[in-house]
Amino acid sequence: KAGKTSIKFNIKKSFNSLNTITILTPIKEITFHIIPINTPFLLYLNNIDHINITFNNLNNTLEHNKQKVPIFQK
C-alpha cells in the first residue's frame, strides 16, 4: 500500500505513505500509514468515525461495540 495514501497537513505540502502497519489495539485492528515526517501519533476524530469508534468526551473513552478504553492526557 506504499504511496497509495497522500497525507496533507497544510495547503502547500502533502506526503505519500511509505508503507502501512496493522496493529491490534485494545479496541480492534487498526491500519496506520507510515509517512516521511516526524509527527506525534495522530488518530483524528474523522478516522475513528470511519472505523466505527466513538470518542465519549463525557468520560474520556474510546468505544467500539461494547468495549471501552480510557483515554489519559499526560
Side-chain angles (χ1 to χ4, degrees), residues 21-25 27-32 43 48 51 53:
I21 185 168
T22 301
I23 298 174
L24 180 59
T25 69
I27 293 184
K28 65 183 279 184
E29 278 190 353
I30 298 177
T31 300
F32 296 92
L43 184 60
I48 65 174
I51 56 177
I53 297 174

Side-chain angles (χ1 to χ4, degrees), residues 2-3 40 43 52 56:
L43 184 60
N52 296 322
N56 183 326

